[in-house]
Amino acid sequence: MRPVDPLPGGPPRDGIDAVPPAPRLFVLGLQHVLVMYANAIAVPLIVGGALHLPKDQIALLINADLFACGIATLIQTVGIGPFGIRLPVIMGVTAVAIQPLLAIAAMPGVGLTGIYGAVIVGGLYGLLVTPFIGRVMRFFPPVVTGTILLMIGIALTRVAVGWAGGGAGSADFGAPGTVAVAAGVLAATLLIARFGPGFVGRVAVLLGIGLGYAVTLALGWTSFEGLGAEPWLRAVLPLQFGLPTFHLVPCLILCLVMTIVFIEATGMFLALGVMTGRKIGTEDIRRGLRADALGTLIGGLLNTFPYLSYSQNVGLVGLTGVHSRWVCAAAGGIMLVLGLVPKVAYLAASIPQPVLGGAALVMFGMVAATGIRILAQVDYARPGSRDALIIAASLGIGLIPIVQPLFFRAVPDAFGPIVKDPILLTAIAAILLNALLGQSGAQPEAERSGSGIGASEPEIAASSRSSRSCPQNGSSR
């Protein structure tokens, strides 16, 4: 889709602080919610199932999760003092936490209250370490951030393919009808994005999901059994499962999870800076990470789990060209409502996975494309440069758990969250290799002047001119 042309000497007409008219604001916000919804409810479903919680308590976990998602998103987008990066960001429960939370759930005597105690400690840990984040930002030049973002896109594509096939592990995974629905949603999304006029093109993902949902309803794939038993309103109260308990090992595990979250979130913030044309500095990163940590702390108090800025929604920002943070704030408000109205949340939860997978394939690919865009800033020809080697080795290491999940089976379970996460492996490899190999030779001016975070103003302007020269939906704005 064609990006919005910037005004001469000013921000884009649809810039970060622009407020679309109310109807568009709602529709664009709803699109963000539908994109993140499946992942948002996955963690409470999985953890609740592992703890053998009854159905009503799992439903309570889902509502609490959505409510906390809304609060965390509003803090991140609108901002409260030193909290919130004030960019178009959607917050949700991070999938990075699933395996660690399952490990904690299996520990004798810990239970759900022990999980919440560990989540609270993880949030406090994040708040404590955020002031020191500036000291490590020099380890994130474009060669590192671009590589990390590229791997995030690749790893997310694995999730999208799982959805498109009907859910990884399902008995009929990859059935022809399932694949056909996902392909239809993908085709509809691309065609609407390419040929849809104006606002229609910007909600291509929402329209693609809506068309796919209609088809699956007609095919009888969607069941509303149990909808009548859900109440219209349900208050989300803190500590509904009891006072949190604190155990050393679970708390240490959640501190590690927050470290992983911070690495991923930093890459996402830098990617958003490139997408929106706003240079991201150290203090911006701190405000964003504080919001991640505060969202996690709120999650522990409201009966839910660690939070992260969602990368799939970063892909949606890139696909639609809608940079307004108020659109994501509207999505936060919608999630608050979903958290309080179980019937509405139930309807959204009934969207079949192939429908979401078809739309996710292109959105997650946009995240990888952003990583490639950042890597285009790298000067591979400068004397002594080892940047190509850094990228190649980092991606190769990060791909190991994707292409061969059993490769690290002999590694102790305590290190599972590290070696089984392709994003974290890539980040660690890229940071270490850049520290060891990336200092030789002359550095680009941007790095010598300390402005290696994100894209420089000339680079952003050049990229904007280049993108404007390639219309994508045939409409002018």
Side-chain angles (χ1 to χ4, degrees):
M1 193 176 337
R2 185 175 181 175
V4 177
D5 293 332
L7 295 172
R13 287 197 298 267
D14 189 20
I16 294 170
D17 297 316
V19 182
R24 294 190 176 194
L25 189 68
F26 173 79
V27 174
L28 290 167
L30 179 61
Q31 182 172 237
H32 270 286
V33 172
L34 292 179
V35 166
M36 59 80 67
Y37 194 90
N39 263 8
I41 68 173
V43 177
L45 282 172
I46 293 171
V47 175
L51 290 170
H52 307 292
L53 298 179
K55 186 176 180 180
D56 61 328
Q57 291 189 3
I58 293 178
L60 184 63
L61 288 181
I62 293 174
N63 282 108
D65 174 33
L66 292 170
F67 190 77
C69 282
I71 294 175
T73 298
L74 288 170
I75 293 172
Q76 189 71 276
T77 55
V78 178
I80 301 175
F83 297 93
I85 197 169
R86 297 160 174 85
L87 287 175
V89 174
I90 297 292
M91 300 283 286
V93 176
T94 171
V96 172
I98 291 178
Q99 192 59 43
L101 289 174
L102 291 178
I104 294 173
M107 295 179 182
V110 176
L112 200 55
T113 56
I115 289 177
Y116 292 142
V119 172
I120 290 171
V121 170
L124 293 172
Y125 162 82
L127 291 174
L128 289 174
V129 302
T130 298
F132 305 101
I133 198 68
R135 298 183 181 180
V136 300
M137 286 309 299
R138 64 190 181 91
F139 297 109
F140 289 87
V143 66
V144 173
T145 56
T147 303
I148 294 173
L149 260 293
L150 179 56
M151 180 53 68
I152 290 175
I154 293 171
L156 284 173
T157 300
R158 178 179 56 173
V159 176
V161 172
W163 290 350
S170 62
D172 59 347
F173 182 81
T178 300
V179 175
V181 167
V185 172
L186 173 61
T189 301
L190 292 174
L191 288 173
I192 295 171
R194 174 63 179 85
F195 298 106
F199 180 70
V200 173
R202 293 189 172 215
V203 292
V205 173
L206 179 60
L207 294 176
I209 291 174
L211 289 172
Y213 197 10
V215 170
T216 56
L217 283 172
L219 293 173
W221 289 11
T222 303
S223 171
F224 297 119
E225 182 182 355
L227 177 62
E230 291 290 328
W232 279 104
L233 292 174
R234 178 188 289 138
V236 176
L237 303 174
L239 306 178
Q240 286 185 266
F241 291 90
L243 293 174
T245 57
F246 301 94
H247 306 267
L248 178 60
V249 174
C251 290
L252 292 176
I253 291 175
L254 261 295
C255 290
L256 174 62
V257 168
M258 286 305 297
T259 303
I260 299 171
V261 164
F262 275 14
I263 292 173
E264 290 193 26
T266 298
M268 293 174 207
F269 294 151
L270 295 172
L272 270 173
V274 174
M275 286 181 179
T276 60
R278 174 172 291 182
K279 188 172 182 179
I280 303 300
T282 300
E283 187 52 38
D284 297 304
I285 298 293
R286 287 196 185 108
R287 287 201 307 268
L289 296 182
R290 284 193 197 103
D292 280 358
L294 182 60
T296 298
L297 179 58
I298 292 172
L301 295 173
L302 289 180
N303 322 294
T304 182
F305 308 106
Y307 281 85
L308 171 69
S309 305
Y310 263 7
S311 51
Q312 56 259 49
N313 291 85
V314 174
L316 182 59
V317 170
L319 177 65
T320 63
V322 178
H323 299 160
S324 171
R325 62 189 174 108
W326 298 106
V327 167
C328 291
I334 293 171
M335 285 187 282
L336 285 175
V337 173
L338 289 175
L340 296 173
V341 185
K343 284 186 181 294
V344 177
Y346 187 97
L347 290 174
S350 63
I351 299 175
Q353 285 193 336
V355 174
L356 295 173
L361 281 169
V362 64
M363 289 185 304
F364 295 172
M366 288 297 296
V367 179
T370 299
I372 295 171
R373 181 180 175 185
I374 294 174
L375 290 175
Q377 303 172 24
V378 176
D379 182 7
Y380 299 97
R382 65 184 171 89
S385 173
R386 301 290 187 273
D387 290 337
L389 183 61
I390 293 169
I391 296 167
S394 301
L395 290 176
I397 293 171
L399 284 168
I400 290 174
I402 293 179
V403 300
Q404 186 47 263
L406 297 179
F407 186 84
F408 292 113
R409 64 180 181 178
V411 174
D413 291 341
F415 296 98
I418 297 175
V419 298
K420 294 179 181 179
D421 188 299
I423 300 170
L424 184 60
L425 274 181
T426 301
I428 292 173
I431 292 169
L432 292 178
L433 289 172
N434 179 67
L436 293 173
L437 306 177
Q439 305 303 318
S440 60
Q443 290 182 306
E445 181 63 30
E447 292 183 22
R448 291 199 304 269
S449 62
S451 59
I453 301 174
S456 66
E457 296 297 333
E459 287 163 343
I460 292 169
S463 176
S464 178
R465 288 193 298 271
S466 174
S467 62
R468 291 199 304 275
S469 68
C470 302
Q472 297 177 20
N473 70 351
S475 63
S476 60
R477 288 187 269 280

